[in-house]
């Protein structure tokens, strides 16, 4: 009896177990294709819990990986495969359409973006070249603005410079050959710029203590003081000058990353001494790549107007402009002499000038030495045209002195890139005579009509402000024009 009861119970358990297994198999067969389906997040579900933090590239890789699991080839599974890819494509589309925040721009990118905006604003500032303009209380352009290549573009560029331009001045080096320079006599512009840039109230507005905020980097060494303290007279050995420059670049490039980042393309030096170009050859990238601000702007000796800046040579006798040139006489005061020059026989051009005209004409006063009782400034103020021949090198302080005296400069030079030529139209306030035409100099000057002469003098009064050294510096003076020339070269640099 007990044995039979046991068999009955065993049979019931077996039946129930078989039914359970059959039910599981049936459910699996009916619903099995749902277990292969990829997880889908709808648009509502996606944003219900906030933005997904998986980066776009990583999210795409996860989706593509999920699609690589291919099921067994059957009609049901092909349908499942199609459904899965529809969901995947939908998810990819949702991912692409999402707004992914842009990564924050680096400091360098921000600087370049600011320069790009400045370039765009300058391009938009297109003015008629003959338009008479008054931009604000401090800036007026009489005479139809003819002295400027494009007055509107120049003014807009100048404003952008005032708003944006930042200069980092390297602290490396010791005086007197760094952070110092001559502030009087013929190379005074060299020291005046260094001192204004480092210590002047206006210079500090452009100067930044943070090199990462700088658009350009200034190397404040003085070539004139190098010549004074390193050069051995009469040896004509310029190696000590080149060695100093090479050492200076080596120091700043080893201490800071900025030189190596651009190979010096956003760095500049300033030198008024005749040998400044030779000193800059101490480093090949300084010579070929950096912005060199030079008085000796000789295009036949490596000066490149596209990247280098021509620096006006200003002779400060005892540190000041001659008092007679500060306020020249009014235009109605007659000037009895057609032209004037006095100077020594050095360089290739002056001997030609003196050979043809020295003390040979009462109207064209040409001297090697001034007659007793005459002074240079007074003779300029008595002359309609002031002859400005090059000496050993192309630059001459007589050009700026002629502008001060409202005596039309006569440029007698070869291969000279005139200062601020990217902004100023020198033909509007000067006369250029080829060296080969010096023999007929009087004929050329006599042929200038009176009306044109008056027009040239009027334009001299317009450009004078751009060649004045002020303490403190004033808007549009020579300090600002030098900076603006550097600024123009920097905004035209585009780094990869």
């Amino acid at each position: 009896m007990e044995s039979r009861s046991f068999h009955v119970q065993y049979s019931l358990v077996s039946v129930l177990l078989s039914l359970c297994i059959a039910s599981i198999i049936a459910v699996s067969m009916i619903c099995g294709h749902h277990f292969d389906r990829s997880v889908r997040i709808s648009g509502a579900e996606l944003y219900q819990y906030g933005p997904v933090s998986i980066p776009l590239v990583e999210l795409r890789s996860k989706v593509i990986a999920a699609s690589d699991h291919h099921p067994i080839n059957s009609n049901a599974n092909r349908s499942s495969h199609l459904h899965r890819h529809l969901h995947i494509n939908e998810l990819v589309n949702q991912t692409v359409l999402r707004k992914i925040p842009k990564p924050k721009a680096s400091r360098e990118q921000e600087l370049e973006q600011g320069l790009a905006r400045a370039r765009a604003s300058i391009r938009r500032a297109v003015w008629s070249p003959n338009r008479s303009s008054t931009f604000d209380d401090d800036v007026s352009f009489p005479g139809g603005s003819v002295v400027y290549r494009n007055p509107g573009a120049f003014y807009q560029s100048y404003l952008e410079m005032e708003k944006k331009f930042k200069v980092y001045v390297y602290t490396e080096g010791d005086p007197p050959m760094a952070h110092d320079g001559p502030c009087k006599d013929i190379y005074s512009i060299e020291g005046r710029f260094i001192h204004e840039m480092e210590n002047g109230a206006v210079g500090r507005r452009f100067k930044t203590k943070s090199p990462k905020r700088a658009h350009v980097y200034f190397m404040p060494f003085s070539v004139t003081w190098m010549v004074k303290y390193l050069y051995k007279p009469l040896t004509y050995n310029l190696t000590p000058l080149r060695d100093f420059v090479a050492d200076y670049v080596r120091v700043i490039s080893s201490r800071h990353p900025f030189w190596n980042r651009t190979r010096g393309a956003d760095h500049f030096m300033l030198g008024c001494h005749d040998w400044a170009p030779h000193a800059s050859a101490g480093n090949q990238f300084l010579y070929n790549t950096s912005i060199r601000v030079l008085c000796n702007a000789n295009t036949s000796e490596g000066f490149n107007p596209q990247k280098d800046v021509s620096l006006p040579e200003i002779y400060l006798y005892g540190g000041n402009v001659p008092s007679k040139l500060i306020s020249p006489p009014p235009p109605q005061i007659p000037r009895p002499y057609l032209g004037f020059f006095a100077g020594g026989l050095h360089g290739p051009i002056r001997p030609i000038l003196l050979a043809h005209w020295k003390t040979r004409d009462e109207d064209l006063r040409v001297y090697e030495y001034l007659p007793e009782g005459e002074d240079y400034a007074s003779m300029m103020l008595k002359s309609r045209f002031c002859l400005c021949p090059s000496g050993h090198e192309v630059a001459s302080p007589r050009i700026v002195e002629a502008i001060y005296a409202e005596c039309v400069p006569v440029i007698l030079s070869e291969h000279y890139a005139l200062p601020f030529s990217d902004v100023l139209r020198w033909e509007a306030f000067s006369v250029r005579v080829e060296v080969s035409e010096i023999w007929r100099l009087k004929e050329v000057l006599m042929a200038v009509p009176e009306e044109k002469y008056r027009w040239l003098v009027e334009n001299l009064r317009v450009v004078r402000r751009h060649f004045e050294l002020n303490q403190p510096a004033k808007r549009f003076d020579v300090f600002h024009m030098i900076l603006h020339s550097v600024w123009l070269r920097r905004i035209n640099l585009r780094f990869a």
Side-chain angles (χ1 to χ4, degrees), residues 52-69:
V52 177
S53 62
I54 302 174
L56 180 61
V57 174
E58 184 182 347
L59 185 56
R60 280 179 171 169
S61 67
K62 289 179 181 291
V63 171
I64 293 170
S67 68
D68 287 340
H69 298 287

Side-chain angles (χ1 to χ4, degrees), residues 6 37 58 104 117 129 142 181 189 224 235 278 291 329 361 371 373 412 427 442 455 467 495:
F6 173 77
R37 183 173 296 177
E58 184 182 347
K104 187 177 180 180
R117 289 190 292 270
I189 188 70
T224 303
T235 64
H278 302 285
I291 302 168
D361 193 286
L412 301 170
E427 63 271 22
K442 184 176 181 178
W455 178 76
F467 295 89
F495 300 125

Side-chain angles (χ1 to χ4, degrees), residues 10-27:
Y10 180 79
S11 298
L12 289 173
V13 171
S14 299
V15 171
L16 289 173
L17 182 60
S18 298
L19 289 173
C20 289
I21 292 172
S23 299
I24 291 171
I25 292 172
V27 171

